[in-house]
Amino acid sequence: MFSIAFVGPMWDLMMAGNIYLTLQVLLLMNLGFCYSTVDPPENLTITDPGHLGNLEISWSPSQEQVRMKEQGQCLVLYELHYYDSYSSSWTSIRTTQTSFRAQFDLGQEVKVRIYTLISGACADGRTAKSKNFTEVVQKPDMAGIDGLQDFICLYYYMEHLFCSWKRSSKMPAKAQEAFYYWHREMAHTKECPFYILSGGFRSGCNFSGTDLPTFSDINLCVNMSSDDPVRPLYVTLQIQNIVKPKPPGDLRVEAGADKQLRVHWGSPAGRIPQHCLLWQVQTRREGQEEKPTRISSTETAVMLALPDNEMSCLRVRCMLNKYCANSGVWSDWSPSVCYPEKRSLASVPSQGMFPKYRYIAIANIKGLVTVCACELSSDL
């Protein structure tokens, strides 16, 4: 599956109302394609500026394309295809430029191919695509072992970003991890501001106090310094998709006259807007072995059927909804609340306390008997 987008000056001119270019683009989009002997672009290269997977792709027009542009009788576009290993799909863009930047997983193959598209008088009024394409495939360096596992990042409460990992059994004993990150607002990569240590080794990174953009790719890399080669780990993420909210608070249960149980709760404190949260209520009947029931809600209240002579316990959790993030992480569950409310039983002495009470009671009785005996013997 391909996704196609227009980029560069072509889009700007279309939005500015350039009628000629707009008509040419509409012709290119709407007329049936035919393959042409026009040459594909040349000198396709991939350059790594050191941004942990954000690569620059560039190419040159063929001499034939240069001549077409000079004659002014043909609209020349380039159709670039690159394989996105994160989504396991091809992405396609059309542009009049001769360069483009795209995100890749450097631990996987980097595959890029490019075609030429022409329309206008040079193509007899039709739209033509070069039958051939220019392609570059870069294979990753697979030397070394996989020394890391269980890598995860969580953006707690939309306030604090933490990333963590574990060392695999294959990791050389003297290897030390180094964590780097980059996003589009940075000129160069930076190292983790605060490392988390475990057992004398780096096991995570704390980004507290670091300003990171939302809805923008952030590239991460964990590299190892070791005498034995260890493969680096590359990850790309957007922090709004890994937000873990605080648990909901102030959970309450009220019974209504209509045999309905009203369950309501409060939004967790913090920076997450309430309209961004999706809620899930879990109910469990005491003494029942059936799986608990879970109900999703976009509001901070739900109505449930009043249980018949049974105790039901409820709890709530939340996560970011699809309108504020592409994915999310559930919060922890709130403390449970039961209906009818559990009654606390009077404390009963433990078995180990009985001998003490028995001893005291017997001692008192003996004392009373002794006193009484003494008093009776004096009267006699």
Side-chain angles (χ1 to χ4, degrees), residues 152-169:
I152 186 173
C153 293
L154 291 176
Y155 191 26
Y156 289 95
Y157 327 136
M158 209 175 273
E159 297 173 2
H160 309 290
L161 176 65
F162 291 87
C163 295
S164 63
W165 57 84
K166 294 180 181 178
R167 298 165 66 95
S168 73
S169 58

Side-chain angles (χ1 to χ4, degrees), residues 87-146:
S87 62
S88 299
S89 63
W90 285 88
T91 298
S92 176
I93 65 101
R94 292 173 183 169
T95 179
T96 57
Q97 301 181 44
T98 56
S99 65
F100 184 77
R101 299 190 70 155
Q103 184 63 40
F104 296 90
D105 179 357
L106 296 184
Q108 306 293 328
E109 275 190 347
V110 175
K111 294 185 282 188
V112 175
R113 61 182 59 165
I114 190 165
Y115 298 83
T116 301
L117 291 175
I118 58 173
S119 64
C122 61
D124 296 328
R126 305 173 65 188
T127 300
K129 180 177 180 179
S130 61
K131 185 175 182 179
N132 298 322
F133 55 84
T134 303
E135 183 178 54
V136 171
V137 177
Q138 290 185 353
K139 295 187 178 296
D141 183 3
M142 301 303 293
I145 61 171
D146 292 322

Side-chain angles (χ1 to χ4, degrees), residues 10 42 47 64 70 84 103 117 169 173 199 243 266 273 281 287 310 335 353 360:
M10 181 182 67
E42 301 173 348
T47 305
E64 180 185 21
E70 290 175 350
D84 183 354
Q103 184 63 40
L117 291 175
S169 58
V243 172
V281 182
E310 292 180 338
M353 295 177 64
I360 295 173

Side-chain angles (χ1 to χ4, degrees), residues 3-118:
S3 58
I4 299 177
F6 288 99
V7 298
M10 181 182 67
W11 176 254
D12 296 335
L13 289 172
M14 288 176 65
M15 300 308 294
N18 187 301
I19 299 175
Y20 172 75
L21 184 55
T22 302
L23 289 175
Q24 292 282 2
V25 170
L26 290 175
L27 283 171
L28 184 150
M29 294 175 62
N30 295 327
L31 293 180
F33 279 103
C34 65
Y35 286 102
S36 169
T37 57
V38 62
D39 295 331
E42 301 173 348
N43 303 320
L44 179 62
T45 59
I46 301 174
T47 305
D48 185 356
H51 295 160
L52 309 179
N54 189 264
L55 305 181
E56 183 169 342
I57 307 165
S58 61
W59 58 91
S60 302
S62 66
Q63 292 299 319
E64 180 185 21
Q65 294 160 20
V66 172
R67 186 172 61 255
M68 288 178 180
K69 288 184 178 181
E70 290 175 350
Q71 292 174 353
Q73 296 180 341
C74 201
L75 173 66
V76 179
L77 296 176
Y78 305 107
E79 184 172 290
L80 175 71
H81 298 232
Y82 61 93
Y83 188 75
D84 183 354
S85 57
Y86 291 108
S87 62
S88 299
S89 63
W90 285 88
T91 298
S92 176
I93 65 101
R94 292 173 183 169
T95 179
T96 57
Q97 301 181 44
T98 56
S99 65
F100 184 77
R101 299 190 70 155
Q103 184 63 40
F104 296 90
D105 179 357
L106 296 184
Q108 306 293 328
E109 275 190 347
V110 175
K111 294 185 282 188
V112 175
R113 61 182 59 165
I114 190 165
Y115 298 83
T116 301
L117 291 175
I118 58 173

Side-chain angles (χ1 to χ4, degrees), residues 206-243:
N206 177 359
F207 282 91
S208 295
T210 304
D211 188 21
L212 297 171
T214 55
F215 298 96
S216 180
D217 286 343
I218 299 176
N219 297 342
L220 309 173
C221 174
V222 186
N223 207 346
M224 271 66 64
S225 58
S226 172
D227 294 336
D228 300 319
V230 181
R231 283 194 290 269
L233 174 69
Y234 295 96
V235 175
T236 296
L237 54 80
Q238 295 189 3
I239 57 176
Q240 79 279 353
N241 295 329
I242 55 171
V243 172

